[in-house]
Amino acid sequence: MINVTKSYLPDLEEYTQYLKGIWERVHLTNDGPLLRELEGQLKEFLGVKHLKYCTNGTVVLQMALKALNITKEVITTPFSYVATTNALLWEGCTPVFADVRPDDYCIDPDKIEPLITENTQAILATHVYGNACRIEQIQAIAEKYNLKVIYDAAHTFGATYNGKSILSYGDLSTCSFHATKVFHTVEGGCIVTNDDEMAEKLHFYRSFGHRNDDYYSIGINAKNSEFHAAMGLCVLPKVPDLIESRKQVFGWYNDRLNFGRITRPVLTPGVAYNYAYYPVVFDSEATLLRVMEALNAQHIVPRRYFYPSLNTLPFVVGHQPCPVSEDIALRVLCLPLYPGLPEEDVDRISAIVNEAIAVLSEPA
Ligand SMILES: *Cc1c(COP(=O)(O)O)cnc(C)c1O
């Protein structure tokens, strides 16, 4: 079976070496030495000032909203993973959906301004598939209306915009280190800021608000363990090679797929990509379903990602049409892409896709 992704696992010996240290120290969690080591290495790898390593890429979105005191309307993207909208709803905020750009499926800055009201406090946008949003335009709107900018940068690990990690933009930026992401710690995530005071606040938020024996503030339990940090320490040095291997697979698809009948998102100028996903957009949902069926019959499992468009979730209040996002969500499929996926498999997958789209286009 070929899945849409396959987690990289380090050499078991290497991981076991870290476990031995944990057994010696009997320090399993709570800001342990491996966690601190990983945070240091991540800051250096990404070139960011402050980074808090946490339990996942969802709780860090919640922490971001809480830390910036966002409780009212937030202009957000309908084209993301459900966690982006869930974080808003969980924190009692009102998601206001701005449609996405038809070429890269990131939030369309031109759609943001008309949605701003006196209750708008922030913009929460996702760098879709690891490609950067229109950062300058979003920043200009935020400054004009005094809004905060939070980026769900879950897909961007290892990708840069104008030479800097995409995680370094916005008031706060969050990443996921879930097993399916470019860099993973089994479960995990982080929140990034350039602001010293904000970093301190997030440090205490992560651990119940505890400051020594008193309390700095409210808090949550978003601490991650030494076992997760150890996985991160094993995987991080491999990231450049892992991205290189992804790039190779990516190139094989580019050479083989029939782009007469498939469209692909464009990269924002200035982005050095991390090859996180290989989304293809078909002419209709019917074609997508045909392709999926053909792949599944060969035990190949692509993923409808993102689907559905988040403005259509059953628990989102009110009808907020986003025609571009709704249309793309119906037609987009992520093909298997992971380091080490063999070229023969990309051959086979591409052939199945090309054949399935050719069949459909013939008159009935
Ligand atoms: C993976 C992902 C998340 C959630 O991250 P977890 O670590 O699984 O909680 C949030 N947003 C986007 C865009 C994601 O892809």
Side-chain angles (χ1 to χ4, degrees):
M1 176 160 126
I2 303 174
N3 221 328
V4 65
T5 189
K6 184 176 172 185
S7 301
Y8 169 77
L9 278 173
D11 184 43
L12 186 55
E13 275 302 307
E14 196 185 337
Y15 188 66
T16 312
Q17 282 308 313
Y18 282 110
L19 295 186
K20 284 184 179 147
I22 298 174
W23 256 251
E24 281 159 20
R25 290 185 295 275
V26 200
H27 186 161
L28 309 189
T29 185
N30 287 0
D31 216 5
L34 296 181
L35 180 138
R36 288 185 169 218
E37 170 72 24
L38 179 63
E39 278 186 341
Q41 289 191 18
L42 285 169
K43 274 189 271 192
E44 196 180 311
F45 184 92
L46 297 167
V48 297
K49 191 164 181 206
H50 299 288
L51 176 149
K52 291 288 148 193
Y53 174 56
C54 295
T55 37
N56 58 64
T58 303
V59 75
V60 283
L61 286 168
Q62 295 169 221
M63 287 163 68
L65 293 165
K66 196 68 95 185
L68 293 169
N69 265 317
I70 310 296
T71 55
K72 298 179 191 167
E73 290 174 15
V74 177
I75 297 179
T76 189
T77 177
F79 196 71
S80 183
Y81 185 55
V82 70
T84 317
T85 299
N86 272 346
L88 288 168
L89 293 171
W90 196 270
E91 291 302 322
C93 304
T94 305
V96 176
F97 293 98
D99 207 352
V100 297
R101 294 165 52 91
D103 60 350
D104 61 19
Y105 327 146
C106 289
I107 199 165
D108 185 344
D110 295 337
K111 304 276 170 59
I112 294 176
E113 217 166 329
L115 296 172
I116 295 174
T117 73
E118 58 188 15
N119 290 322
T120 308
Q121 295 179 306
I123 298 167
L124 170 56
T126 298
H127 298 299
V128 176
Y129 304 129
N131 179 38
C133 292
R134 300 289 156 152
I135 289 172
E136 286 86 3
Q137 275 175 279
I138 292 170
Q139 193 55 39
I141 296 167
E143 280 166 21
K144 182 169 168 192
Y145 293 95
N146 196 22
L147 306 177
K148 299 294 183 189
V149 179
I150 302 168
Y151 285 115
D152 182 339
H155 293 178
T156 68
F157 198 88
T160 61
Y161 175 63
N162 290 345
K164 291 195 332 190
S165 167
I166 299 180
L167 274 156
S168 56
Y169 296 92
D171 289 290
L172 286 171
S173 196
T174 65
C175 197
S176 165
F177 303 150
H178 182 254
T180 55
K181 308 282 159 108
V182 168
F183 163 72
H184 82 92
T185 66
V186 186
E187 292 276 357
C190 75
I191 184 161
V192 171
T193 177
N194 294 314
D195 182 302
D196 299 347
E197 253 175 74
M198 178 57 79
E200 185 183 67
K201 192 171 186 177
L202 292 167
H203 178 80
F204 293 115
Y205 269 19
R206 180 175 71 179
S207 184
F208 309 102
H210 263 299
R211 181 171 50 192
N212 303 320
D213 287 335
D214 66 357
Y215 291 97
Y216 172 91
S217 66
I218 61 159
I220 195 163
N221 183 357
K223 296 175 274 98
N224 216 336
S225 81
E226 291 290 280
F227 293 75
H228 293 85
M231 181 61 82
L233 288 167
C234 293
V235 177
L236 185 60
K238 304 295 193 302
V239 166
D241 289 345
L242 295 175
I243 291 178
E244 200 49 42
S245 178
R246 287 177 171 278
K247 182 179 177 182
Q248 194 177 34
V249 175
F250 201 93
W252 292 333
Y253 277 124
N254 281 349
D255 291 344
R256 285 159 178 78
L257 289 170
N258 175 2
F259 292 101
R261 301 203 170 109
I262 288 172
T263 47
R264 298 244 318 121
V266 300
L267 272 189
T268 302
V271 168
Y273 193 45
N274 62 357
Y275 305 92
Y277 297 92
Y278 201 95
V280 286
V281 179
F282 301 110
D283 61 352
S284 67
E285 187 182 26
T287 305
L288 175 143
L289 294 172
R290 171 72 65 96
V291 170
M292 273 186 72
E293 197 182 334
L295 290 170
N296 289 343
Q298 302 298 317
H299 310 287
I300 298 162
V301 186
R303 182 168 178 209
R304 297 190 74 170
Y305 193 69
F306 301 115
Y307 173 82
S309 185
L310 299 173
N311 58 309
T312 67
L313 288 169
F315 43 86
V316 163
V317 177
H319 177 59
Q320 304 181 38
C322 294
V324 179
S325 173
E326 288 167 43
D327 175 49
I328 297 295
L330 288 177
R331 298 190 286 125
V332 68
L333 191 66
C334 284
L335 298 180
L337 172 64
Y338 49 83
L341 179 64
E343 190 170 8
E344 310 87 82
D345 287 343
V346 176
D347 272 340
R348 215 152 54 84
I349 295 165
S350 303
I352 294 167
V353 171
N354 288 339
E355 195 185 293
I357 55 185
V359 166
L360 246 203
S361 68
E362 280 163 18

